Amino acid sequence: MTRKKVKLEWITNDNARRVSLKKRRLGLSKKMNELSTLCGVNACAIIYGPNEIELTVWPSHDVVQQQLTHFQSLSELE
Amino acid sequence: MTRKKVKLEWITNDNARRVSLKKRRLGLSKKMNELSTLCGVNACAIIYGPNEIELTVWPSHDVVQQQLTHFQSLSELE
DNA sequence: AGACCTATCTTTAGACT
DNA sequence: GAGTCTAAAGATAGGTC
């Protein structure tokens, strides 16, 4: 998205894709962090690649677990 | 962050905070969307405010539910 | 409250190390 | 592979209607 406008589609080049994932994950974390502090909300994210090894949670495994439980109890009410 | 550099702290003004939350949630969704398409990964997010009415999930309630289940089954393996 | 605008800040693709 | 750099693309605070 910068030296060249990027198309919103799967990056075929393996290396480029991995680099992009790494960078964007970082950027996303930053944004999540900003959102939650600036606006005083709870937020969590789960990201995982095709190979289940690349699992990333934000802000932390524990918090995610907690919020999932909360979310699911809300879901049941509907 | 634009006409003025914003400090990374709770926005005290109620209206400004709500507006910011709305805008940033949108921006975040966009980023999530980009991340998942560009890099071919699954991603989901849960955002909720102090009042539980403002619950937002991405990309959809159903997908989040699905991914939570997946995540929890992985967690149990550890 | 909501949509649109735009100057300015932030993110990031690509190149290099 | 993992950091650093940098210009271009993208996000957004504050304003207006």
Side-chain angles (χ1 to χ4, degrees):
Chain A
M1 279 173 191
T2 154
R3 294 311 175 77
K4 199 164 64 172
K5 192 165 185 170
V6 107
K7 280 195 297 178
L8 188 52
E9 61 180 21
W10 154 269
I11 298 166
T12 46
N13 181 298
D14 274 21
N15 192 55
R17 192 175 60 254
R18 261 213 323 282
V19 170
S20 185
L21 175 59
K22 193 170 186 290
K23 287 180 176 178
R24 280 169 174 278
R25 251 198 315 222
L26 204 76
L28 198 62
S29 298
K30 207 168 180 177
K31 284 257 177 265
M32 298 280 286
N33 192 40
E34 288 178 12
L35 179 62
S36 58
T37 35
L38 290 173
C39 306
V41 296
N42 289 109
C44 69
I46 304 173
I47 299 168
Y48 53 92
N51 46 336
E52 309 197 340
I53 298 139
E54 299 183 54
L55 179 71
T56 309
V57 297
W58 189 94
S60 75
H61 192 105
D62 288 348
V63 174
V64 171
Q65 280 283 26
Q66 241 180 0
Q67 303 206 341
L68 297 198
T69 309
H70 183 68
F71 172 69
Q72 286 178 327
S73 66
L74 286 181
S75 301
E76 282 165 23
L77 295 178
E78 288 168 17
Chain B
M1 280 167 189
T2 153
R3 296 310 177 78
K4 199 164 66 173
K5 193 166 183 170
V6 106
K7 279 196 296 180
L8 187 52
E9 61 180 23
W10 155 270
I11 298 165
T12 45
N13 181 298
D14 274 21
N15 193 56
R17 192 176 59 255
R18 262 214 320 282
V19 171
S20 186
L21 174 60
K22 192 169 188 294
K23 286 181 178 177
R24 280 168 174 278
R25 254 201 311 225
L26 203 75
L28 197 62
S29 298
K30 206 167 181 178
K31 284 254 177 269
M32 297 279 286
N33 192 41
E34 287 178 12
L35 178 63
S36 59
T37 32
L38 290 173
C39 305
V41 296
N42 290 108
C44 69
I46 305 174
I47 299 168
Y48 54 92
N51 46 333
E52 308 195 344
I53 299 140
E54 299 183 54
L55 178 71
T56 309
V57 296
W58 188 95
S60 74
H61 191 105
D62 287 348
V63 174
V64 170
Q65 280 282 29
Q66 240 180 2
Q67 303 208 341
L68 298 197
T69 309
H70 183 69
F71 171 68
Q72 285 178 328
S73 66
L74 287 180
S75 300
E76 281 165 23
L77 297 178
E78 289 167 15

